[in-house]
Amino acid sequence: MVNCLSCDEVCMSVHGVPEKVSIRLIAQSLRQGWHDFLDMALVSMGFAACFVVIGIVLMTGFVTIGMGPMVPPLIGGFMLFGPVSMAGYHALLAARKAGQSPRLGVAYGAMRHTPRPVWVMGLFCCFMVLLWLTDAGTLYSFMVGEWRHDWMSVLPHSSQLLRFHFGAAIMGGALSLIVYTVTVHAVPLLVRGQGTLVTAVTASVRAVGRSLFAHLLWAVLLALTVMASIFLLPALLVVLPVVAYASIHWNKTVFPEGANDTSA
């Protein structure tokens, strides 16, 4: 008889079988993320500031060229790059745990030396963003079809804009779900030095499948929180670090640290 490894055994050989998690752990992860932020508030906000500046520039640029209604899809696409920033926040947590002083140089240094597979994930996110914006742009040409230079056009204050935003949200939501499923655990695992790109992505997909409801609720919570804070960009200085730290703890709950560390 031919001995075949089960799917669980294959996963255990690299990352271990992902833990099943309940929705209670969402609140726990957020509390941990909040406490981490309070312990490193200034450096955490300083690292988030670069993303806030980029967001302001992009939003202003779109309104200036007359494509105000395209700002929400742009914000949604910009949000997909969030997992790549995980390396910086992970480095800050590691520095504090090691008794070192968390500094901006630690976060930016971690971004520069991020493992190549993480940047591959970043390119994947970039491709998905371009796909989202292309689809939204096509929809915009059919449903709006005119230049809108005012900031009010960013919000769906008319039936025409409401239909456009709804259609763009449906298309973007499907793409975001794909990105979320692939990256939610893959990026943190790669940042932790565990496994390869293929094994990390496989483990992430499997983890989402094992605790589907909890992961979907986590995704909706992150999306609504980050989207709302981007519209009020100063809030992103707090929200982004808290969400990043919470995501790190969420990942460590699903894949306990040291269980199958292939970097050793």
Side-chain angles (χ1 to χ4, degrees), residues 61-214:
F62 266 56
V63 173
T64 301
I65 65 175
M67 299 188 70
M70 283 289 292
V71 168
L74 173 69
I75 290 174
F78 182 65
M79 186 177 64
L80 298 185
F81 288 101
V84 180
S85 69
M86 198 75 68
Y89 288 108
H90 189 277
L92 292 176
L93 279 179
R96 189 191 64 173
K97 186 177 180 180
Q100 302 171 359
S101 176
R103 304 185 313 275
L104 276 178
V106 172
Y108 287 120
M111 292 291 288
R112 286 196 304 271
H113 299 96
T114 298
R116 187 176 300 175
V118 176
W119 289 114
V120 173
M121 297 297 292
L123 291 175
F124 166 71
C125 292
C126 182
F127 172 75
M128 298 300 276
V129 169
L130 292 176
L131 191 60
W132 186 351
L133 291 179
T134 300
D135 290 343
T138 302
L139 193 65
Y140 179 87
S141 65
F142 283 108
M143 301 187 70
V144 181
E146 60 184 4
W147 301 112
R148 296 289 186 93
H149 296 274
D150 58 301
W151 282 95
M152 277 301 296
S153 64
V154 172
L155 301 175
H157 63 275
S158 67
S159 58
Q160 179 191 44
L161 292 177
L162 181 61
R163 288 193 299 271
F164 165 69
H165 288 307
F166 180 75
I170 293 297
M171 293 186 299
L175 295 176
S176 297
L177 183 59
I178 295 173
V179 172
Y180 169 78
T181 302
V182 169
T183 63
V184 62
H185 292 295
V187 171
L189 287 173
L190 292 170
V191 170
R192 284 163 53 178
Q194 293 186 313
T196 64
L197 178 62
V198 173
T199 62
V201 169
T202 302
S204 183
V205 173
R206 182 166 178 76
V208 172
R210 282 178 63 85
S211 307
L212 183 60
F213 182 73

Side-chain angles (χ1 to χ4, degrees), residues 47-61:
F47 186 54
C50 66
F51 298 99
V52 173
V53 171
I54 293 173
I56 291 174
V57 171
L58 290 175
M59 290 172 63
T60 303

